[in-house]
Structure formats: structure tokens, C-alpha cells
Amino acid sequence: MQVLPNQPDNAIPFSEEEKGNQLFPVFVKLNKLRTLLIGAGNIGLEKLTAIVNNSHSATITIVAETVSPEVYALVANYPLIKVKQKSFDIDDLNDIDIVFAATNNHILNEEIRKVTHERGLLINVADKPELCDFYLGSIVQKGDLKIAISTNGKSPTIAKRLKQILNEGLPAELDETLQNMSALRQTLNGDFSAKVKKLNKVTQSLINPKKASQSGILNG
């Protein structure tokens, strides 16, 4: 997965050229990619937990000199995760699409980032936002609905609070509504524009139930 050009030595660091929040939100199909996680202590466990909580079928290779019992316990439930208890070397990047560096050695993490970029791969470096190509945001999930929250690395605490608010405020029944909307979409006739107009009328009830009821939308 070639996504990054080789950076010249005098390239301006990403964090210095940012003006406002320049992040582009995407949802990555980790179940279709090959993930490398370097580090299997407390930091590695945190990253691994975040990955598998969002992608149960992710293919992950863990490379670490020391692997915590908690990581082994988690890996036991996921047959697509394999552990290599050894030091990292550049050949570990072979046949890999995306990288997480989660060691407690900052010098090693920076070296991993360097060789990862030489391979044209994206990397997340734990506790070093300025070295990351992407961040892991706070996630709110209600069935198939998934909302990611980012503060551009400024305040993970605020992101966690917003996650709590949304988790408490969004009804559990929202996923049932989502499934019903998916089924309705399959039955609609007409061109794309007509389908969008119909779906917009139906979903109006989510933000203004009183108005939708008066117009007869909720009653069919």
C-alpha cells in the first residue's frame, strides 16, 4: 500500500505546517489490511484493544521482545493475530499495510517511523502526535452506526467526555432504525435523486419527530 512519498530531509514537519484541524476523517477497513503492531506492553495492549474492538477480523502481527500476559490473553480470542516475540527489524514491514509503534523506547519508535515511511506506509506512534500519520479517535458505536471523535490531538479528555455524552444520548434503538432504513432503501424505485428525497423525508423524524408526525411521515 504505497501512500507516502519519500520525504526530503528539509521537509516541513506536519505539525508545523498545520493551520487548524487538517485531519481528513476516514473509516479504514482493517479487516482487509495487514496490520503490524510493534510493542506488547501496556501501550501495545491499549492499541491492540482499540483495534480489535473496532475490527474483530483484523489480521495483526505483533512484534515485541516482551509480551505481557494481558496481550497473550487477548490474542487467544483472535485467531488472525500472531505474535513474534523478538526484536523489530526492517523485514517485519514486509507484506504489511499499516503500522502501530507502541514501544516504550522513543528512539526506537522514531526509527520505526523512519523506515516505515521509506516503505511508503502509514504509521501511528503512541504518545507522539507529531510523529503520527493518523490518530485513533474516541469511538461511539450503536450497532452499525459508528461515530469517531477527534480533537486534533489537543485534548483526549474532551473527546472522552463527548463520547460519554453521545453514548448516553443516542438511543439503543437507533440501530434498529438504521436497519429499517437500509431495508427501505432497497425497496425504493426511481433515480438516485428521488430516492434521496424520500429517505430525507423519512429520516426527518430523527431530528424533528413532532413535525414529521404532523406531516404523516411517521404514520406512513
Side-chain angles (χ1 to χ4, degrees):
M1 187 176 77
Q2 296 293 319
V3 292
L4 288 175
N6 289 333
Q7 302 263 341
D9 292 338
N10 60 351
I12 299 174
F14 177 72
S15 59
E16 293 181 11
E17 65 184 12
E18 283 185 0
K19 299 296 181 182
N21 192 330
Q22 300 295 316
L23 300 176
F24 184 72
V26 297
F27 288 88
V28 180
K29 295 181 178 180
L30 284 184
N31 59 315
K32 302 293 186 181
L33 301 177
R34 297 159 298 184
T35 299
L36 175 64
L37 171 62
I38 306 160
N42 291 334
I43 301 173
L45 176 63
E46 180 181 340
K47 296 293 184 182
L48 179 61
T49 301
I51 294 170
V52 298
N53 280 350
N54 285 281
S55 185
H56 302 309
S57 300
T59 299
I60 306 169
T61 300
I62 300 173
V63 172
E65 293 182 356
T66 303
V67 181
S68 71
E70 291 81 5
V71 167
Y72 273 124
L74 181 57
V75 168
N77 298 315
Y78 296 92
L80 294 179
I81 302 177
K82 60 182 179 180
V83 178
K84 296 181 179 180
Q85 191 164 353
K86 66 180 211 52
S87 299
F88 168 80
D89 64 66
I90 194 170
D91 288 339
D92 292 319
L93 296 173
N94 295 341
D95 301 319
I96 291 297
D97 299 306
I98 195 165
V99 179
F100 293 80
T103 79
N104 58 5
N105 185 330
H106 295 308
I107 296 176
L108 175 59
N109 284 344
E110 291 187 16
E111 180 61 26
I112 293 171
R113 177 181 183 267
K114 178 182 177 182
V115 296
T116 296
H117 278 183
E118 289 173 354
R119 291 290 186 95
L121 303 175
L122 294 174
I123 184 171
N124 174 275
V125 181
D127 298 326
K128 287 288 185 179
E130 69 275 13
L131 299 182
C132 292
D133 298 315
F134 62 94
Y135 301 143
L136 302 185
S138 292
I139 303 296
V140 177
Q141 185 164 2
K142 301 287 182 177
D144 280 332
L145 176 66
K146 185 174 287 187
I147 302 171
I149 304 167
S150 170
T151 61
N152 201 23
K154 299 298 189 296
S155 178
T157 300
I158 289 180
K160 290 179 181 178
R161 292 304 181 195
L162 289 173
K163 174 182 177 179
Q164 182 180 6
I165 291 171
L166 289 172
N167 263 326
E168 295 174 355
L170 293 175
E173 296 80 11
L174 192 56
D175 185 57
E176 181 180 353
T177 302
L178 184 63
Q179 305 308 322
N180 290 338
M181 286 298 299
S182 178
L184 173 61
R185 186 180 63 177
Q186 302 302 320
T187 66
L188 294 178
N189 297 318
D191 59 20
F192 178 78
S193 178
K195 292 181 180 180
V196 169
K197 288 180 180 179
K198 177 61 177 177
L199 292 173
N200 282 341
K201 288 182 179 180
V202 175
T203 54
Q204 184 181 16
S205 62
L206 294 176
I207 59 172
N208 197 338
K210 183 177 180 180
K211 182 178 180 179
S213 178
Q214 291 174 349
S215 64
I217 293 175
L218 294 180
N219 298 321

